[in-house]
């Protein structure tokens, strides 16, 4: 079993839809949770990061972490064609200090938002 | 956020040869990381590179195959040695900035024939 599971999709939605992307994980040591967006032939771009459980909102994006269920989500409101990309969840277990260390990634979900 | 560049952006190499990938950051950073992203797969950490010390390799990756240099706080190289077609991948460097954030370069797309 992989430490981080993410449905690879592909996911296709109409413009303006609310998109829900999810990851589950098995390692209870994970405390830092991130979402990256990767456009074709580009490096991953950090979208959101959260520490421990709770919600975080940034514009059209909301990240949720439920550590009791080992489940994280990214919601995209009013989705746009420019949101079409691969979305990767990533997690880290280091606590304290200046280094949060190794990231463990999900497989990535391919999202297409069509006009 | 840090600005990261990688060279080359892509290359096609013959089996048995080696390729050195460069990663340059626009600011001084303590930790740099090298990842591999195989076709259709997610990112897998190869090693962590701190300036002034030996790189730390993840399980399944060895120094003889992936030697890494970290001569200063803004630069690192990864060499893919004695390449085989199974080494065809995107190789990405990343840097740590702040407590949580890790930023990635654009990647080097390697094809081994």
């Amino acid at each position: 079993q992989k430490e981080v599971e993410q449905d690879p999709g592909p996911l296709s939605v109409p413009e303006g839809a609310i998109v829900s992307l999810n990851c589950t994980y098995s390692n209870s040591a994970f405390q830092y949770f991130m979402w990256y967006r990767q456009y074709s032939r580009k490096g991953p771009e950090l979208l959101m990061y959260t520490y421990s459980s709770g919600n975080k909102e940034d514009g059209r994006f909301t990240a949720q972490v439920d550590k009791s269920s080992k489940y994280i989500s990214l919601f995209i409101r009013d989705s746009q064609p420019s949101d079409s990309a691969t979305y990767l969840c990533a997690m880290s277990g280091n606590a304290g200090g200046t280094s949060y260390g190794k990231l463990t990634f999900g497989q990535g979900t391919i999202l297409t938002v069509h006009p | 956020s840090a600005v990261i560049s990688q060279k080359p952006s892509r290359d096609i190499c013959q089996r048995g040869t080696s390729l050195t990938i460069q990663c340059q950051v626009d600011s001084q950073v303590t930790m740099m990381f090298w990842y591999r992203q195989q076709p259709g797969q997610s990112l897998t950490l190869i090693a962590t590179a701190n300036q002034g010390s030996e790189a730390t390799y993840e399980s399944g990756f060895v120094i003889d195959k992936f030697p890494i240099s970290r001569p200063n706080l803004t630069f690192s190289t990864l060499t893919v040695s004695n390449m085989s077609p199974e080494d065809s991948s995107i190789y990405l460097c990343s840097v740590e900035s702040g407590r949580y954030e890790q930023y990635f370069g654009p990647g080097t797309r390697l094809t081994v024939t």
Side-chain angles (χ1 to χ4, degrees), chain A residues 7-86:
Chain A
D7 186 343
L11 183 62
S12 180
V13 301
E15 184 175 355
I18 296 174
V19 176
S20 173
L21 304 166
N22 311 293
C23 290
T24 59
Y25 63 96
S26 58
N27 188 345
S28 56
F30 288 142
Q31 296 189 58
Y32 301 91
F33 304 91
M34 285 136 278
W35 286 95
Y36 284 84
R37 178 175 62 194
Q38 186 174 25
Y39 291 114
S40 180
R41 300 183 180 273
K42 301 288 186 182
E45 171 195 7
L46 181 62
L47 268 181
M48 302 277 289
Y49 60 87
T50 54
Y51 170 68
S52 195
S53 287
N55 294 358
K56 185 173 183 178
E57 187 173 321
D58 184 1
R60 296 185 295 112
F61 298 90
T62 300
Q64 287 185 351
V65 175
D66 182 350
K67 289 191 70 179
S68 63
S69 301
K70 296 189 178 66
Y71 187 88
I72 71 170
S73 301
L74 177 70
F75 297 95
I76 307 174
R77 290 183 298 279
D78 187 26
S79 57
Q80 303 295 310
S82 59
D83 295 328
S84 298
T86 298

Side-chain angles (χ1 to χ4, degrees), chain A residues 28-32 51-52 67 91-102, chain B residues 96 99-100:
Chain A
S28 56
F30 288 142
Q31 296 189 58
Y32 301 91
Y51 170 68
S52 195
K67 289 191 70 179
M91 308 177 188
S92 174
N94 285 18
T98 60
S99 167
Y100 74 107
K102 170 186 175 180
Chain B
E96 187 182 60
R99 190 170 183 180
Y100 311 98

Side-chain angles (χ1 to χ4, degrees), chain B residues 38-103:
Chain B
Q38 293 181 302
Q41 302 297 316
S42 190
L43 284 77
T44 301
L45 180 65
I46 297 172
T48 302
N50 286 344
Q51 193 266 337
S53 63
E54 294 289 326
T56 302
Y57 288 83
E58 295 298 304
S59 176
F61 298 97
V62 295
I63 187 170
D64 290 346
K65 177 68 175 176
F66 298 101
I68 289 171
S69 77
R70 182 78 201 275
N72 57 52
L73 291 174
T74 63
F75 187 79
S76 178
T77 66
L78 170 76
T79 298
V80 186
S81 303
N82 188 25
M83 288 184 285
S84 67
E86 292 71 35
D87 295 319
S88 297
S89 273
I90 301 171
Y91 291 86
L92 297 134
C93 70
S94 70
V95 303
E96 187 182 60
S97 178
R99 190 170 183 180
Y100 311 98
E101 297 133 79
Q102 199 170 116
Y103 296 93

